[in-house]
Structures are given as C-alpha cells and as structure tokens.
Amino acid sequence: MNEQKMLLGKIKKYDFTLKELNLYLDTHPNCRRGLAMFQKYRKLRENAVDEYTRKFGPLTPEQVISSERWIWTDDPWPWERR
C-alpha cells in the first residue's frame, strides 16, 4: 500500500474514532477519560491531515493555503489519485 493510501486510511480511522467519542461525550459530558481520548485523537487527526496536505495537497477547500490563486482544482481529487 502506498503512503497516500495509508495516510487516508489513518485519517478515516481517526474520523470514525472522533465521531464515536463525540457520541459518547454527548451522553457522558463529565467523563475526563473520554474527553482526554477525544483530544488525543483530534490531535492525531490534525497531524495526519497536515502531513497529507503537505505531501499530496488539500483534502478539503478549507485547507488551500495559497494566496496567489485557487489551487483546489489543480490536482486530481484525493480519491482519484493512485
């Protein structure tokens, strides 16, 4: 498996984990362990997205950092890359 697919897989896993923790914390808002886990996985996801963006381009339009021109449509979409 190539690096791009591995990073996308990590991001998807972190997204799933964060959604599950979000649902848990909705019903257990005072759970410090749950909140700590949410913060941990939020940071892991942020780092993985930053790495992906640096190496392969933005995953979402909000991640476009160019102030010179709109680069969102320059490369193939993340799911079209091989």
Side-chain angles (χ1 to χ4, degrees):
M1 181 179 291
N2 69 32
E3 183 180 12
Q4 182 182 13
K5 286 184 181 182
M6 287 176 52
L7 275 172
L8 277 175
K10 274 186 182 181
I11 292 166
K12 289 177 186 179
K13 288 176 187 177
Y14 296 148
D15 284 342
F16 177 81
T17 302
L18 286 167
K19 187 60 173 173
E20 291 297 310
L21 286 166
N22 175 184
L23 294 171
Y24 174 79
L25 287 166
D26 283 350
T27 58
H28 301 80
N30 297 317
C31 179
R32 290 184 183 187
R33 184 169 180 238
L35 185 57
M37 288 176 65
F38 184 89
Q39 296 301 333
K40 173 187 170 183
Y41 283 97
R42 184 193 58 76
K43 187 64 176 169
L44 286 169
R45 183 191 184 282
E46 180 182 313
N47 290 340
V49 168
D50 288 347
E51 182 179 355
Y52 185 96
T53 302
R54 272 193 326 276
K55 292 180 177 181
F56 306 107
L59 286 168
T60 63
E62 295 83 17
Q63 295 166 332
V64 172
I65 56 174
S66 175
S67 60
E68 299 297 317
R69 59 185 288 282
W70 187 243
I71 62 167
W72 174 242
T73 57
D74 285 358
D75 294 318
W77 301 106
W79 55 88
E80 294 176 327
R81 295 180 183 145
R82 294 175 189 235

